[in-house]
C-alpha cells in the first residue's frame, strides 16, 4: 500500500480536523458566524449556517429572525414574512419583530400598512422609523407629508447618510433633478463606499443621458454592494452597468458585466433583453 506524500497527508489531515471542528461548533458559535457572514454580505455562507442552526433548534428565535432578514435581502419578502412569524412564535423581541415587519411591508409595496405599523411605534424615535414613514408616504404619493417627515428626520440627524440619501431621492421624485444629483455627488464624495447612494446616482445619470457618469457610479456601487444592497438592487446595479457600457460603445465591458448578470439571473427578462441589445450593437443577428 502506497503512502501519501507528506504534503498530501497534511492537507487531508487539515480537512478532517476542520470538518470535525465545524461539526463541534455550538449553536451560539454558529449563529455568531452566520451573523458575521450576513454583515459582510456573504449570504450563502450565512444561509448555510443559519439553516444548520434551525435543523438543530427549529424554535431558535435568533436563527429565525436572521433567516427572515436573509430571505428579505434575497428579494423573497413572502418567505421573510413566514420566517418572521416563526420568529415571533419562538419569542423574538417585539421591537426587533416590529422593525423587520416594517421593512417587509415596504418591500411588498404595502405602504399604507408600513405607515400604520411605523406610526404605531410612537415611542421609537429612531431615524430608521422616521425613514420608514418617509418612504411609505412617498409610496402613497403623499409628497408634502413626506417632506415634513423628512424635515423632522433631517433636524434630528442632519449628518445621517441615509437621511441625506432620502432627501436627495425626494428632490429627484419632485423633479429637482439637478439639486438631487448635486446632493448625491456630495454624499458620494464623503462616503465613496455608499453603494445605495451610488445606485441611485447611476439611475439618475442614465435617466438624463449621462452614460459616463452612470458607468462610474454603477462601478462604485458594484464594488461595495454586498451587504448593503438587497438582491433586486444588486440586479439593478448590474443592469445599469451593462446599459451604460452599451451607451458608451464599450461592448467588451458590457460582455463582462452581462456574464455576471447571466450567472445571477439567467432567466430574467432584462438579461435576455440586454443580450439582444449587445448583439444588435455588434450587428450580430
Amino acid at each position: 500500500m502506497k503512502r501519501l506524500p507528506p504534503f498530501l497527508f497534511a492537507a487531508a489531515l487539515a480537512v478532517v480536523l476542520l470538518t470535525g471542528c465545524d461539526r463541534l461548533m455550538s449553536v451560539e458559535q454558529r449563529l455568531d458566524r452566520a451573523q458575521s457572514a450576513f454583515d459582510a454580505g456573504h449570504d450563502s455562507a450565512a444561509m448555510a449556517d443559519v439553516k444548520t442552526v434551525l435543523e438543530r433548534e427549529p424554535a431558535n428565535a435568533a436563527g429565525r429572525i436572521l433567516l427572515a432578514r436573509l430571505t428579505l435581502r434575497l428579494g423573497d419578502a413572502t418567505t421573510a414574512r413566514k420566517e418572521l412569524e416563526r420568529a415571533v412564535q419562538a419569542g423574538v423581541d417585539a421591537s426587533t419583530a416590529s422593525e423587520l415587519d416594517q421593512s417587509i411591508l415596504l418591500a411588498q409595496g404595502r405602504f399604507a400598512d408600513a405607515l400604520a405599523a411605523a406610526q404605531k411605534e410612537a415611542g421609537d424615535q429612531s431615524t430608521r422609523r422616521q425613514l420608514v414613514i418617509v418612504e411609505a408616504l412617498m409610496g402613497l404619493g403623499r409628497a408634502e407629508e413626506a417632506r415634513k417627515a423628512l424635515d423632522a428626520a433631517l433636524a434630528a440627524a442632519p449628518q445621517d447618510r441615509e437621511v441625506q440619501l432620502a432627501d436627495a431621492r425626494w428632490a429627484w421624485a419632485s423633479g429637482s433633478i439637478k439639486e438631487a444629483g448635486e446632493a448625491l455627488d456630495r454624499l458620494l464624495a464623503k462616503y465613496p463606499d455608499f453603494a445605495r447612494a451610488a445606485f441611485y446616482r447611476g439611475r439618475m445619470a442614465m435617466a438624463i443621458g449621462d452614460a459616463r457618469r452612470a458607468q462610474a457610479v454603477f462601478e462604485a456601487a458594484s464594488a461595495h454592494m454586498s451587504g448593503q444592497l438587497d438582491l433586486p438592487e444588486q440586479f439593478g446595479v448590474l443592469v445599469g452597468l451593462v446599459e451604460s457600457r452599451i451607451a458608451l460603445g464599450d461592448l467588451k465591458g458590457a460582455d463582462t458585466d452581462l456574464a455576471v448578470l447571466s450567472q445571477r439571473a439567467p432567466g430574467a427578462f432584462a438579461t435576455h433583453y440586454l443580450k439582444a441589445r449587445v448583439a444588435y450593437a455588434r450587428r450580430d443577428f
Side-chain angles (χ1 to χ4, degrees):
M1 184 176 179
K2 290 184 178 180
R3 289 187 176 183
L4 284 174
F7 74 93
L8 285 179
F9 178 78
L13 181 61
V15 169
V16 170
L17 290 174
L18 286 171
T19 303
C21 290
D22 189 70
R23 289 177 179 172
L24 292 173
M25 286 182 75
S26 69
V27 164
E28 291 75 18
Q29 288 172 324
R30 196 174 291 276
L31 265 178
D32 286 343
R33 190 170 74 173
Q35 185 65 57
S36 296
F38 175 80
D39 293 341
H42 302 149
D43 293 339
S44 295
M47 184 69 78
D49 271 339
V50 78
K51 284 191 171 182
T52 299
V53 166
L54 292 172
E55 285 172 4
R56 294 185 190 177
E57 296 183 5
N60 187 294
R64 288 292 172 195
I65 205 72
L66 181 54
L67 182 55
R69 289 190 175 120
L70 262 168
T71 51
L72 180 61
R73 188 155 79 187
L74 293 172
D76 188 353
T78 300
T79 301
R81 167 70 57 197
K82 292 177 182 177
E83 290 303 329
L84 174 58
E85 290 169 356
R86 292 183 179 122
V88 170
Q89 292 170 0
V92 74
D93 177 74
S95 62
T96 300
S98 176
E99 177 182 330
L100 186 54
D101 174 52
Q102 293 164 38
S103 297
I104 293 171
L105 289 170
L106 287 177
Q108 292 176 318
R110 296 168 56 186
F111 300 115
D113 291 335
L115 179 61
Q119 290 178 331
K120 185 174 68 175
E121 301 294 331
D124 180 2
Q125 297 301 312
S126 67
T127 301
R128 182 210 57 79
R129 172 180 170 269
Q130 289 176 306
L131 290 177
V132 168
I133 291 172
V134 171
E135 187 166 347
L137 287 168
M138 288 296 292
L140 292 168
R142 293 156 61 176
E144 290 186 11
E145 292 175 73
R147 182 68 256 174
K148 290 179 182 177
L150 189 49
D151 286 341
L154 282 166
Q159 300 304 315
D160 188 293
R161 70 183 196 176
E162 294 288 353
V163 175
Q164 292 176 19
L165 173 58
D167 190 32
R169 289 178 62 192
W170 187 93
W172 184 20
S174 301
S176 301
I177 297 176
K178 184 174 183 294
E179 177 186 334
E182 290 173 350
L184 287 174
D185 285 338
R186 288 193 299 272
L187 197 53
L188 287 168
K190 189 173 183 180
Y191 304 106
D193 63 343
F194 192 4
R196 183 162 282 108
F199 169 56
Y200 282 107
R201 185 66 180 93
R203 288 179 57 189
M204 189 182 302
M206 285 301 291
I208 62 175
D210 187 354
R212 194 163 300 281
R213 178 60 176 149
Q215 177 182 270
V217 288
F218 278 134
E219 285 175 347
S222 178
H224 302 289
M225 63 187 182
S226 294
Q228 290 192 49
L229 302 184
D230 61 30
L231 201 62
E233 289 171 328
Q234 292 183 27
F235 181 71
V237 168
L238 293 171
V239 168
L241 269 173
V242 176
E243 288 184 326
S244 61
R245 295 197 198 283
I246 292 172
L248 293 169
D250 178 12
L251 300 184
K252 186 175 180 181
D255 283 338
T256 300
D257 294 319
L258 194 49
V260 178
L261 187 61
S262 298
Q263 185 178 21
R264 295 194 180 192
F269 171 79
T271 303
H272 294 294
Y273 170 70
L274 290 170
K275 284 181 179 179
R277 283 190 59 191
V278 170
Y280 181 79
R282 286 199 170 95
R283 299 295 189 268
D284 184 15
F285 52 88

